[in-house]
Amino acid sequence: MTRLTGRALRLTVFVGENDTWHHRPLYSEIVHRAHAAGLAGASVFRGVEGFGASSLIHTLRLLSLSDDLPVAVVIVDTEPRVRAFLPRLDELVTEGLVTLDDCEVIRYTGREDGPGNTDSKGKKSL
């Protein structure tokens, strides 16, 4: 398990939920590449409303535009590991926004036992 505390770098990639890479959701490809690169973790967040460089507002409130909502992929790891991952994004992200922010990791821990020893809420079973 990766241990991470202290200074870190947060990589955020903003794309549309309909963006694809070889018939697969782009956000999923980014997460799988981050996993393969051994980064500490990645999460995908679906927006309820937003606009980008095209200035077209996408929102859940308008049925005609609700099919391409904004998606943010957030990855946090040490600065050298995140910067080493950036070239892997170059071929993937042709439209969108990629940002880097300094951050501080206060706590990053996983379950010490395997999933068989926890219930559906992640609590240890007796």
Side-chain angles (χ1 to χ4, degrees):
M1 174 174 57
T2 303
R3 299 270 183 209
L4 180 65
T5 57
R7 288 184 41 86
L9 203 58
R10 177 178 50 225
L11 167 65
T12 307
V13 182
F14 298 92
V15 294
E17 76 177 330
N18 285 346
D19 293 344
T20 59
W21 176 258
H22 296 287
H23 308 290
R24 179 180 190 174
L26 177 59
Y27 59 84
S28 180
E29 183 66 22
I30 294 169
V31 168
H32 283 84
R33 287 191 185 199
H35 184 262
L39 295 175
S43 296
V44 178
F45 300 93
R46 183 178 188 226
V48 296
E49 186 168 27
F51 71 93
S54 68
S55 293
L56 181 62
I57 294 179
H58 298 271
T59 178
L60 282 172
R61 292 179 287 159
L62 299 174
L63 292 177
S64 64
L65 298 177
S66 66
D67 62 346
D68 193 24
L69 292 169
V71 173
V73 181
V74 179
I75 299 167
V76 176
D77 207 321
T78 63
E79 183 171 354
R81 293 171 63 84
V82 170
R83 290 200 181 275
F85 182 69
L86 290 176
R88 297 181 188 201
L89 290 178
D90 286 343
E91 67 177 324
L92 296 177
V93 183
T94 58
E95 295 178 356
L97 174 67
V98 179
T99 64
L100 291 173
D101 302 290
D102 290 321
C103 64
E104 182 177 357
V105 175
I106 304 300
R107 181 178 177 160
Y108 175 72
T109 58
R111 295 186 191 110
E112 292 183 25
D113 295 328
N117 296 329
T118 58
D119 65 13
S120 62
K121 294 181 182 177
K123 295 183 179 179
K124 290 186 179 183
S125 59
L126 299 174

